[in-house]
Amino acid sequence: MSFAAGVRLFRQLRSSLAIRLTIWFAVMAFMLLFGAATLMYWKVASHLTSEDEMLASMKLMLVEALLTDALPPPHTVQMLANSGVSPADRETFVRVLLPDGSILAQTEGMEHELPAALFPVSRTPSVIRSASGEPFWAASSIVNGNTTVQVATEADDEGRLMAPYRGRMWGLFGLAFVVAGMIGYRIARHGLQPVERLVEAMRGIESSTLDKRIEVSRLPVELTALGQTFNDMLERLQRSFERVSQFSDDIAHQLRTPLGIVRGQLEVALRAERSPADYRDALESSLEDIVTLSDLVHRMLFLARAENQALALAWEDVDLGQALQTVHDLYEPLASEAEVILHLVVPDPPLVASIDRLLTLRAVGNLVSNAIRHTPSGGRVTIEAASDQDEGVHIAVADTGCGIAPDHLPHMFDRFYRVERTGAGGRSGLGLAIVRAIAELHGGGVEISSVVGHGTTVAIAFPRRKQAA
Amino acid sequence: MKLLIVEDEKKSASYLKKGLQEAGFVVDVADNGEDGLDMALRGDYDLALLDIMLPGCDGWHILTEIRRRGLELPVMFLTARDGVEDRVKGLELGADDYLPKPFAFSELVARLRTVLRRGPVRQADVLTIADLEVDSQKRKASRAGRPITLTQKEFSLLLLLCRRSGEVLTRTYIAEQVWDMNFDSETNVIDVHIRRLRQKIDESFDSALIHTVRGVGYVLEDRA
């Protein structure tokens, strides 16, 4: 396997949740076992050590006891020295020295291994090294006032006793690691099953089955949030899908009507020889419809761009009083023809806001022309600008028209939404959608309130512009 | 005035040529980018109308080459691509105007004349069309010697129509020029203003000067 392939495999393994869990599980099991075994080992080893030490003490006490009353004859002492008092696997040395330092008796070979000078002058055993380097617990004492007893028992050198056990332990650790890994893998796979089921369920959802939902109640608690989030996302997707599809229907319908008229009237015009005036009439009429179509396309493009935030605003500080005066001047004749009073409340003191002047006035113009159209003669349309508490501004257009029923209100800013679905009048139903798009491009929003029979107020809110924007 | 149109769409090129010739221009057409660039560099044109998407090389390239060689030939883009970035790019490369399709032909002519007229052109202070006199300095108008009282905006509207006498102005263009406003053309708000102006300028006189061009807009001219 090449190095690159190895790296790839490693990445693959690392990216698998099950493998990761397995590795963690095995490592944890290994560490726990290793920790516990090490602790036990240490305990046993230190226990063995203290046992060795105790053995030396006891041996010394035994020899002392035997020699207390009177010094037995030398051969008895020699027997004592040679007899194995301690367990057979422990070498034990005993030496008895006379007051003049001459050796009365000693265990065979002791002279060479452990000369008398090596022994500590203490009843408490301490470790000394023999001539061949072996460790011994050694102690000495004086009995009968003048006879010195020296005792040494073999110490367990670097846990020789534990060595086979230690070897087995490493094997056990290895086995435990492998077994823990296998069990861990099973557990991980089992634990991840709900995730796989979730994936399976998600895979089954396509654009035609957007109404399907994940059964959140059957998921483990940890995955409920994920499932719920996914369901919410589906909900939003479904809604925008429906909207887009409704939008396409509306567009097709909007385009079809004027296209049909143009096609028909041109075809009819060409069916027979006509007077120039008739041709002219057909052409002019077609042109009017085509202008309508072309405006519609422009407006829809504007909306599409606004929704994708693909429009750059020309921010400038605008005196709202002056700007709204322009709107007032433009629409005042329209209002007076409809016998509606168009009233502008000029903010005092002057109100300056950072906005895109052209777009904002277009939005306000839309609102004003809507308001004039829906207000019966003798009514009143008021344009007003004011600052909000949070230093933003809002522009409101209020009319004394027929009002809008509450169930229509939430949809008034939707594209192509019309209270009467008659389609007559050649109006596209995009005006308010454009108003909202312009408000949202500014980071603001729109609000509509209405009382049937009393009138409607639409307000565009502009938040205070962040300097960094 | 000699114009170059670089447009690969045959029908577009054909109506543009016909319309502009009738508007008094001399017009050459190239139907691909390479020929277009060649002609722009060799020919003695007063203005070039470029499409962006062209076979051979695109409109951006033509404009870049023209400017690279230091030619001051005014350039207008006519294109279905009207993303903001495209518009900004066009103007940054040194285009003089940018008109997204579909556009009103009258709008094109109006803008063409604006680009061609750019520079220190002195407008006469007093404009006379038939028996109508408009004094742009004193902001006064009279017809057949009778003074006409106009509001500020009415005067601005009349002045625009007189300065562009003979050209058909679209409602959008009028709103832009007089009110400095974009508006959604669903409303007949400009029609109302024109109606008011007509009452003062044309009514009670023998001949009308302000004419409606169906499907396009308005023109002020002496048709008597």
Side-chain angles (χ1 to χ4, degrees), chain A residues 5-22:
Chain A
V7 169
R8 208 161 43 240
L9 182 69
F10 174 71
R11 289 232 174 93
Q12 238 164 25
L13 290 182
R14 218 179 51 159
S15 67
S16 156
L17 207 55
I19 298 279
R20 262 199 267 182
L21 283 173
T22 305

Side-chain angles (χ1 to χ4, degrees), chain A residues 105-304:
Chain A
Q106 64 181 345
T107 313
E108 239 173 83
M110 190 176 178
E111 181 66 44
H112 174 69
E113 279 290 315
L114 295 161
L118 279 175
F119 280 76
V121 191
S122 165
R123 293 192 74 237
T124 314
S126 56
V127 175
I128 59 169
R129 292 265 163 197
S130 70
S132 55
E134 297 293 313
F136 282 86
W137 284 104
S140 58
S141 74
I142 294 170
V143 290
N144 294 337
N146 50 16
T147 310
T148 307
V149 179
Q150 292 183 333
V151 172
T153 58
E154 188 191 1
D156 184 18
D157 182 19
E158 288 161 5
R160 202 186 307 142
L161 203 71
M162 307 278 282
Y165 173 63
R166 225 165 32 216
R168 263 190 308 248
M169 216 159 64
W170 280 114
L172 214 65
F173 285 158
L175 190 68
F177 186 73
V178 172
V179 171
M182 278 159 58
I183 295 174
Y185 186 69
R186 297 295 301 238
I187 292 178
R189 289 306 299 245
H190 183 75
L192 288 174
Q193 253 176 24
V195 177
E196 276 162 26
R197 281 205 305 272
L198 195 62
V199 169
E200 206 50 50
M202 287 176 178
R203 197 171 286 149
I205 291 168
E206 285 168 24
S207 60
S208 56
T209 56
L210 275 178
D211 52 334
K212 271 198 198 169
R213 291 291 179 272
I214 308 271
E215 278 183 63
V216 176
S217 56
R218 285 182 52 201
L219 290 175
V221 188
E222 290 83 356
L223 292 179
T224 319
L226 179 64
Q228 192 55 53
T229 310
F230 184 75
N231 278 350
D232 292 347
M233 188 185 80
L234 274 181
E235 184 76 38
R236 287 195 300 273
L237 270 179
Q238 191 187 357
R239 254 185 286 136
S240 34
F241 243 81
E242 282 166 1
R243 222 175 34 224
V244 167
S245 130
Q246 176 67 42
F247 185 50
S248 313
D249 282 359
D250 286 336
I251 291 177
H253 181 77
Q254 291 278 336
L255 297 180
R256 199 159 54 183
T257 312
L259 270 177
I261 296 170
V262 171
R263 185 175 175 169
Q265 64 194 8
L266 287 180
E267 218 179 307
V268 169
L270 290 171
R271 279 173 78 93
E273 284 298 318
R274 291 174 202 283
S275 69
D278 283 353
Y279 282 129
R280 189 176 184 87
D281 184 60
L283 285 175
E284 283 174 343
S285 170
S286 302
L287 185 57
E288 281 169 354
D289 289 318
I290 285 166
V291 169
T292 308
L293 273 173
S294 152
D295 287 343
L296 186 66
V297 169
H298 276 308
R299 272 195 291 273
M300 287 189 306
L301 274 176
F302 175 84
L303 277 175

Side-chain angles (χ1 to χ4, degrees), chain A residues 335-353:
Chain A
S336 74
E337 276 202 351
E339 292 174 8
V340 169
I341 297 166
L342 183 60
H343 181 59
L344 169 67
V345 182
V346 180
D348 181 39
L351 194 54
V352 175

Side-chain angles (χ1 to χ4, degrees), chain B residues 87-122:
Chain B
R87 188 179 292 247
V88 170
K89 183 176 176 185
L91 297 180
E92 271 177 359
L93 285 176
D96 294 87
D97 206 346
Y98 193 109
L99 201 55
K101 292 176 185 172
F103 51 80
F105 184 77
S106 311
E107 181 108 15
L108 170 66
V109 177
R111 288 189 185 230
L112 263 177
R113 294 205 204 275
T114 310
V115 170
L116 289 171
R117 221 178 270 157
R118 223 167 253 171
V121 177
R122 255 197 70 77

Side-chain angles (χ1 to χ4, degrees), chain A residues 281 284-285 288 291 294-295 298-299 305 310 326 329-330 333-334 336-337 357-358 362 366 369 427-428, chain B residues 82-85 101-102 153 179-182 184-190 192-193 195-196 214-216:
Chain A
D281 184 60
E284 283 174 343
S285 170
E288 281 169 354
V291 169
S294 152
D295 287 343
H298 276 308
R299 272 195 291 273
R305 292 224 182 79
T326 311
D329 291 350
L330 182 60
L334 193 68
S336 74
E337 276 202 351
R357 183 181 169 279
L358 281 181
R362 180 175 175 186
N366 272 344
S369 77
R427 300 187 47 75
S428 67
Chain B
D82 72 332
V84 181
E85 319 81 55
K101 292 176 185 172
K153 289 294 175 195
W179 284 272
D180 190 16
M181 251 184 88
N182 275 331
D184 281 309
S185 47
E186 282 182 318
T187 51
N188 55 346
V189 55
I190 298 298
V192 178
H193 283 276
R195 197 144 61 225
R196 290 198 158 190
R214 269 183 80 192
V216 185

